[in-house]
Amino acid sequence: MMELQLSRVDYTVMGVVNKNCLRLLPAAVPKEPQKVAIADTDGILQVFSVRKDDIQLHFKTLPGPAITSLKVAGASGTVNDKVFIAAGNEVKGYTKKGKLFLVFDSGMTEDINSMFVLGNELFLCGKHVFNHYRDCKEVGSYLCGDTIVDVTAFYMLKNGRLTSLIACEGRMIRVLEHARVTASMEVESSPTVLHIHEDDDSRTVLFGTVDGRIGILDVESLQGFQRWLITNEKNASSIICIESYDMSGGGTKNLILGRQDGNIEIYNVNMHDEMDKTSLIFLENCNECIMSLQCGIVATKGYDEVLAVTYSGRIFGLTTQVTDANFDGSTGSYVFTTDASTKISKLKGDIEELHAKLNKEREKYQEATLGNMMELSAISLIPINATVIFPLHTERNYIIFFKFILDRKTASYLLSLEAPTPIEHILIECNAKIDLLDVEKNTAVISYSETANLKGSSQLLATYRCQLNTNRIELKIQSTEGEKGLLQAYVSPVLQPRCSRLLQFDIKALSLHYRVNEYSDLNRPFSVIKFKGTFSLAEIHNWISQCLPEVPGRPQMSEQCFELFFQSSLLDSILICTYKKSEAEFRSDNLTTLCVLKEVLSVEATNKKTKIDISLVINDQCIDHILKMVEPKLLEHKQFLRDKELFDALNELEIAEEDNVKYLSEKYRAILQKKSELVEHFKTYPDYLDRLYDSILNLLTSYNKLKGLQLSRQKIEDLKRNLENYSFDDLIDVFKSGTACR
């Protein structure tokens, strides 16, 4: 049950915004309304305030390069009332009245993606570069092999030393002093945002992840990851922004989260007591990605509110003020004051004026199209906010906002597409074997087209027709390991002239694997495949990135030998990649993984005309190990399937009525009571048992292929029959029997 009641108030609309581009300026007098600073991808910075429900603009800059970050800071010991923006590789500073007092060219070779300002200390991060400046003079830099997603800094409580943190996509948060890494903190999921939670003279470092969790870091003693504060298993949507503020009025700060799926959540938290469970006290969904959050007093004196901005630039507040005070419960209608009626009339007049301007521009456009001048009608590039596991074929990160997300629980991907204008339809085309699954939040109508008569190698062609005023859509993708592919999404908004935006995503050959930071299970049997040749470290690193997701953009050139660990989300098998110049070794307990690697890397080497030697050591114990590891999942899903068949049969007999249920045995009554559990299971895991069957069949195929044996049709039939009537010993006999011929 929600404990906090907030009312939504819409303020204004900006252009498309990046994350961390909304800030509140401190008020001159406590409890007075604060000014709002907002920046968008058109390069426009605005500072405004709200007075009696009207927007009062204090200053607005001219358009320019896309603004990627906005911070509010001030000199040590002064009020944080200076606005800093980052665009390209340049930082500008403005006073609260709009005076430009700083233009700083960082000299970075990469565009600034994230920024933090602390007094006279400036921290700038590109995709791989971290730079530290003091009084606009560089004091240190660090080149990171991972992609940097966020940066923050603070002074240590114990020794007062300046410390900075960078969150990296490779499931790592690095601690830096004087631009040197003093600690690398491994976390279970890729971080998306860093946040310093300060309350009651204590400081806690928090981070959000791509799978929707909030974790606590122990930075003061450099112990690394401490615990999960919010697990939120029901919502795996990415955390985009975090804020701390006392919204409930209890004297301690609440935690406010903004998610990629449009959720704004407020929690009661206890950072120091692990036994004190975190509780959700407020939830609001706006159906658009929340790019930034701020808490304070915005519209009405003395009333706190959560100010949020969405991807398309909608700015709204969730206020503690009761907004339905004019509601007359007896008549079921609102009673408006004279001032409110005047405002409504003014708004109606503004809307009519906008309609007149729109019609005038349309007429002007129609006249231009009928002319004889050789002019082309074109539309600017449509910004699309996309979240997917596969890397996009684009470098314009301020237009395409993407992360790498894998739902390990279901071994599937969630592709989320969002546009600032309503989407009419989306065409999905792929040249690899993938399945599109139902998503509860998706209201679009899907239709499939035949691909047999199409030119090329398309294996999937589907169209999503969106409902009216749909800006955001989620697609669930289920891929099959073993082949690379390219997924293409043609997004067509409701615009004139007709246009479409093409997005392309790489499907990796081992797409169901995810990267882990370490491996500690020494009892697993491993098979090994080794590659030796004339390739460089950069080449073998690139080949591996063509096969596996979440591979860092570049290897650490300072290291002689590079090592990566991966785990399968479907079978829980392990892959260890160890490689250096001219040599690479891959160890796995899953022979299918090694077989796919062998084929993909051989093709990559052939395309590069690089000579390689391949050696293979097969451990037969890997077969017993994998089958034993899959067995619990196999038996669990087979039991669910049997229960569902019995449940459907009981429903057909219309035996669910109370008078008939009492004649059933305990077993059948228990099955009828499992209705919601069965529905939820098959909604979460559609065709999961078939996927396990296919994985075991692929294991048999790979085992014979690596042994140089030809797989007989009889052995495949024996395997399928033994999977239906499961017996571990019989399954092992199928793998190791001599029915395969050379």
Side-chain angles (χ1 to χ4, degrees), residues 413-648:
Y413 300 107
L414 188 67
L415 167 59
S416 175
L417 298 172
E418 185 175 355
T421 57
I423 301 172
E424 184 174 3
H425 62 264
I426 298 172
L427 177 66
I428 302 294
E429 187 270 333
C430 187
N431 59 356
K433 184 181 177 182
I434 65 170
D435 294 315
L436 300 176
L437 306 179
D438 291 334
V439 180
E440 188 175 353
K441 299 177 183 178
N442 189 353
T443 59
V445 178
I446 184 172
S447 58
Y448 294 91
S449 301
E450 292 291 337
T451 58
N453 298 325
L454 294 178
K455 293 182 179 180
S457 56
S458 296
Q459 295 196 32
L460 174 72
L461 189 61
T463 304
Y464 284 89
R465 291 175 175 83
C466 301
Q467 302 295 323
L468 191 64
N469 296 326
T470 298
N471 287 63
R472 184 176 178 274
I473 185 172
E474 290 184 356
L475 316 178
K476 200 169 186 178
I477 299 168
Q478 188 172 278
S479 62
T480 303
E481 289 193 328
E483 58 178 325
K484 295 167 57 180
L486 183 66
L487 174 69
Q488 300 189 106
Y490 298 83
V491 184
S492 300
V494 184
L495 288 178
Q496 293 293 339
R498 309 293 295 174
C499 59
S500 183
R501 175 75 187 274
L502 171 62
L503 304 178
Q504 295 179 323
F505 309 97
D506 286 325
I507 299 178
K508 308 294 186 181
L510 293 173
S511 57
L512 298 183
H513 281 67
Y514 61 92
R515 188 177 164 193
V516 293
N517 288 311
E518 61 180 6
Y519 162 72
S520 57
D521 186 0
L522 302 177
N523 297 320
R524 293 188 183 220
F526 283 108
S527 296
V528 182
I529 185 169
K530 294 182 180 180
F531 292 82
K532 291 184 179 180
T534 57
F535 49 80
S536 64
L537 175 62
E539 281 179 323
I540 186 64
H541 183 82
N542 180 57
W543 295 349
I544 293 172
S545 68
Q546 297 297 317
C547 193
L548 286 155
E550 300 186 5
V551 176
R554 62 186 73 178
Q556 295 286 356
M557 294 302 180
S558 59
E559 299 182 13
Q560 292 294 326
C561 188
F562 206 58
E563 194 170 42
L564 296 174
F565 303 91
F566 295 89
Q567 187 165 355
S568 170
S569 59
L570 186 62
L571 301 180
D572 298 326
S573 59
I574 291 290
L575 170 64
I576 303 174
C577 308
T578 307
Y579 55 98
K580 58 184 178 180
K581 181 182 178 182
S582 303
E583 189 174 334
E585 179 182 280
F586 302 94
R587 289 179 290 157
S588 179
D589 50 350
N590 187 354
L591 291 175
T592 303
T593 301
L594 294 181
C595 189
V596 172
L597 269 169
K598 178 177 177 291
E599 292 175 356
V600 172
L601 296 186
S602 298
V603 171
E604 293 291 337
T606 302
N607 292 338
K608 288 287 185 179
K609 298 181 180 179
T610 302
K611 184 178 179 181
I612 58 172
D613 294 324
I614 303 174
S615 59
L616 179 65
V617 178
I618 299 176
N619 186 346
D620 287 343
Q621 293 181 5
C622 290
I623 300 297
D624 304 64
H625 167 73
I626 284 292
L627 293 178
K628 203 66 182 175
M629 198 162 57
V630 176
E631 186 178 50
K633 291 184 178 181
L634 205 62
L635 294 177
E636 179 191 8
H637 288 278
K638 284 176 76 69
Q639 184 61 49
F640 268 106
L641 186 61
R642 282 194 292 268
D643 289 347
K644 183 178 182 299
E645 290 172 349
L646 283 172
F647 179 82
D648 292 341

Side-chain angles (χ1 to χ4, degrees), residues 292-340:
S292 191
L293 286 174
Q294 286 286 280
C295 297
I297 299 173
V298 179
T300 308
K301 179 180 178 181
Y303 288 98
D304 294 316
E305 64 181 272
V306 179
L307 187 69
V309 60
T310 66
Y311 171 70
S312 62
R314 295 181 183 276
I315 303 175
F316 65 93
L318 300 171
T319 177
T320 54
Q321 184 182 17
V322 180
T323 57
D324 60 352
N326 296 324
F327 184 74
D328 187 349
S330 61
T331 61
S333 60
Y334 284 88
V335 179
F336 296 105
T337 61
T338 305
D339 290 341

